[in-house]
Amino acid sequence: MENNVKEYLAFQHGQVRMPEHLAIRKGVTGRLFKNKFMELLTRTNILVPIIVHLSTSSFIFWYGLTKLNIEIPIAIALVLAGILFWSFAEYSVHRFFYHTETNSKFFLSLSYAAARAGRSRSLAVIANQYADREERERLYGEAVEEATQA
């Protein structure tokens, strides 16, 4: 944990530079899927999920007020409780699942599998974005190896 903090502070103070292959490149996007339809589904404007979530939440709120006869103060309290619950659940998953330090075989295997799957996905994206043919084959080989070990 201490090493992570030292590395982060070194990066923040400019003592460590971003590797060229990880630098942000505007207008460059990698393919995630070979299937054109699946790839199409990964490309959305930021407004799409916002509109979907707001419209769904608004409908449920309206339904609760009109059809279930929930009073407005109770409905507002339920909305606030839902936001609080979601925030706590999201924080807990990130804090205790993704950043855990444990000796438990069960939790280590879950964290290990999630990390390996994420690394596999990252290698595939990097291969699609930046690599030439030989390097792409090598990165895909590593990605497959990571995926099978996950």
Side-chain angles (χ1 to χ4, degrees):
M1 185 77 161
E2 254 180 65
N3 277 345
N4 290 344
V5 172
K6 288 178 185 176
E7 289 175 15
Y8 174 74
L9 292 175
F11 177 75
Q12 286 295 97
H13 296 299
Q15 297 167 348
V16 177
R17 298 178 62 85
M18 175 73 73
E20 182 62 31
H21 70 281
L22 296 178
I24 297 171
R25 298 180 185 187
K26 293 184 179 180
V28 177
T29 59
R31 287 185 64 88
L32 298 176
F33 299 100
K34 290 180 182 176
N35 184 313
K36 288 182 182 180
F37 179 71
M38 292 295 290
E39 185 65 24
L40 180 67
L41 293 177
T42 64
R43 310 289 179 206
T44 61
N45 188 311
I46 187 64
L47 290 177
V48 172
I50 292 172
I51 290 170
V52 168
H53 290 149
L54 284 178
S55 60
T56 304
S57 300
S58 299
F59 173 76
I60 292 171
F61 189 77
W62 168 83
Y63 186 83
L65 291 176
T66 59
K67 304 293 184 187
L68 300 178
N69 298 324
I70 296 176
E71 296 176 12
I72 291 177
I74 294 175
I76 291 173
L78 287 172
V79 167
L80 294 176
I83 291 170
L84 183 66
F85 173 78
W86 176 254
S87 299
F88 179 72
E90 184 77 10
Y91 167 78
S92 297
V93 166
H94 282 92
R95 170 66 176 88
F96 297 110
F97 181 71
Y98 293 123
H99 303 289
T100 187
E101 293 182 15
T102 181
N103 291 328
S104 165
K105 282 191 168 195
F106 176 73
F107 286 116
L108 280 176
S109 64
L110 285 178
S111 296
Y112 182 75
R116 298 297 279 220
R119 184 168 189 272
S120 169
R121 179 68 160 229
S122 300
L123 287 170
V125 170
I126 289 169
N128 276 330
Q129 258 181 338
Y130 306 112
D132 60 7
R133 188 169 121 22
E134 291 83 25
E135 190 176 17
R136 186 177 298 132
E137 288 174 0
R138 181 183 63 78
L139 287 171
Y140 269 118
E142 287 182 31
V144 168
E145 181 68 28
E146 291 292 334
T148 55
Q149 290 180 11

